Amino acid sequence: MQHGRHGDTPPTLLYVVGRVNQGIRREMRKRLVQWDLSIPEYTALSVLHGRPGLSNAQLARRSMIAPQSMIEVLAGLEDRDLVRRAADPAHARILRAELTDEGHELLEAVQPSVDSIEDQLLAAVPGRQRETTLKVLVRAMDRLASGLDDSASEAE
Amino acid sequence: MQHGRHGDTPPTLLYVVGRVNQGIRREMRKRLVQWDLSIPEYTALSVLHGRPGLSNAQLARRSMIAPQSMIEVLAGLEDRDLVRRAADPAHARILRAELTDEGHELLEAVQPSVDSIEDQLLAAVPGRQRETTLKVLVRAMDRLASGLDDSASEAE
DNA sequence: CCAATTTCAGAGTAACTGATATCG
DNA sequence: CCGATATCAGTTACTCTGAAATTG
């Protein structure tokens, strides 16, 4: 389930984001299964397509998960030859990842099915509102990335 | 991880929602642990506070999860005497849930800490934009609840 | 008989924490 | 030695699918 809030009172952002996310995940899982891709796998492919050369640690930070979680995803993709990793010439400890040709092909094949989810969700939403929504969420994302403090239980 | 998309191209709604959700969950978990509440448990308490009398099946639908998932949450809360369930007088199969006094107390104690997350995320966002964002997300939620079709793989 | 609800049981996904090793 | 990275191992959180019983 997700984080919640009441009924007639307007729903909170926390609540709605949780619900929408849950719905999106269900839909994605359903569509990705035929390509034998999990959601984290698809996401990693998608991010690496746009940002080739990210390390495991960088990917993890972007996704707000622990590097230990991300590494499993990456390892799986590497095993399937969808992703290739090579040491940074300037820093042997860092392994920079990028899609293989096969990875690109798969991503291209899957993309439309996933993109159509977003199209359907936003079908009736004017462009301006889409932009506002995206902007607000990106801001929230940044806040979360830089870390919050618990102002409520601090007071003790 | 979450559903993804590129880098310089604007991020997609799917991607941002996933990331924000992940960040929110981390933050919530951290704050809820001191009350020994999981996210689904907190959410159920919160929803039941606003909508007393919902059945397990109704709660599940609202949360876009299977009733089999929700029942575990509800059972746990019932064991802890935070929630009480009673048969609908008109339909004995349906068990309507509501918070106990203890449930109300706990929720009240936890609430501020969770609410402050949202406050911090939206601190710099003007009210108009908050409303737009919420409206767009609620619309997306409704779409998801009524079921999408995979227009991409349909074409085969 | 059918549809909706509840609920048990088992499986699976995706995240976590802890610990270790390496590199600059 | 410190900080960041990679990565193994074990664990927890949350959701799913399947199946069965009950009720109107």
Side-chain angles (χ1 to χ4, degrees):
Chain A
M1 220 177 92
Q2 313 79 25
H3 15 289
R5 193 49 158 290
H6 343 328
D8 292 308
T9 356
T12 64
L13 181 75
L14 258 53
Y15 178 66
V16 195
V17 166
R19 283 252 303 254
V20 168
N21 187 251
Q22 174 63 16
I24 289 174
R25 289 180 77 89
R26 284 197 131 185
E27 206 53 49
M28 287 182 75
R29 241 190 300 258
K30 196 168 67 182
R31 297 177 190 207
L32 289 175
V33 68
Q34 63 180 306
W35 311 96
D36 193 31
L37 275 181
S38 70
I39 295 173
E41 285 169 345
Y42 167 80
T43 308
L45 288 181
S46 178
V47 171
L48 283 174
H49 175 259
R51 301 263 178 179
L54 288 182
S55 70
N56 176 67
Q58 290 176 315
L59 272 170
R61 275 193 297 268
R62 286 189 157 248
S63 303
M64 313 223 216
I65 65 174
Q68 296 98 320
S69 304
M70 182 59 76
I71 200 115
E72 289 191 22
V73 179
L74 223 39
L77 293 174
E78 205 178 4
D79 285 348
R80 287 168 66 183
D81 285 318
L82 298 172
V83 158
R84 165 179 51 228
R85 296 196 299 158
D88 185 308
H91 193 137
R93 201 72 236 279
I94 301 177
L95 300 179
R96 306 211 166 269
E98 58 182 4
L99 299 192
T100 61
D101 290 347
E102 209 177 325
H104 277 114
E105 281 169 35
L106 180 58
L107 182 60
E108 217 163 308
V110 181
Q111 199 79 263
S113 187
V114 175
D115 285 348
S116 79
I117 298 175
E118 177 147 343
D119 293 342
Q120 290 177 69
L121 292 188
L122 297 178
V125 178
R128 281 173 138 277
Q129 297 187 14
R130 293 190 197 196
E131 287 164 34
T132 300
T133 302
L134 221 39
K135 192 174 65 178
V136 170
L137 290 177
V138 167
R139 190 185 295 251
M141 203 167 74
D142 293 342
R143 292 277 173 138
L144 283 163
S146 51
L148 306 182
D149 48 280
D150 187 347
S151 56
S153 25
E154 244 162 26
E156 63 134 82
Chain B
M1 220 178 91
Q2 314 79 28
H3 14 291
R5 191 50 155 294
H6 344 327
D8 292 308
T9 358
T12 63
L13 181 74
L14 258 52
Y15 177 66
V16 194
V17 166
R19 283 253 303 256
V20 169
N21 187 250
Q22 175 61 17
I24 289 174
R25 289 181 75 89
R26 281 199 134 186
E27 207 52 50
M28 286 182 75
R29 241 189 300 261
K30 196 167 68 181
R31 299 178 188 206
L32 289 175
V33 68
Q34 64 180 304
W35 311 97
D36 193 33
L37 275 181
S38 70
I39 296 174
E41 284 169 345
Y42 167 80
T43 307
L45 287 181
S46 179
V47 171
L48 282 175
H49 175 259
R51 299 262 177 180
L54 288 181
S55 70
N56 176 67
Q58 289 175 315
L59 272 170
R61 275 193 297 268
R62 284 189 160 248
S63 303
M64 311 223 219
I65 65 173
Q68 295 98 320
S69 305
M70 182 59 77
I71 200 114
E72 288 191 22
V73 179
L74 224 37
L77 294 174
E78 206 178 3
D79 285 347
R80 288 169 66 184
D81 284 319
L82 298 172
V83 158
R84 165 180 49 226
R85 297 198 297 158
D88 185 309
H91 193 138
R93 199 75 237 282
I94 302 176
L95 299 179
R96 306 209 167 272
E98 57 182 3
L99 299 193
T100 61
D101 289 347
E102 209 178 324
H104 277 114
E105 279 170 37
L106 179 58
L107 182 60
E108 217 163 308
V110 180
Q111 200 80 264
S113 187
V114 175
D115 286 348
S116 79
I117 298 175
E118 177 147 342
D119 293 342
Q120 289 177 71
L121 293 188
L122 296 179
V125 178
R128 279 175 137 278
Q129 297 187 15
R130 294 190 197 197
E131 285 165 35
T132 300
T133 302
L134 221 38
K135 191 173 66 178
V136 169
L137 291 177
V138 167
R139 191 185 297 252
M141 200 168 75
D142 293 342
R143 291 277 172 136
L144 284 163
S146 52
L148 306 182
D149 49 281
D150 186 347
S151 55
S153 26
E154 243 161 26
E156 65 139 71

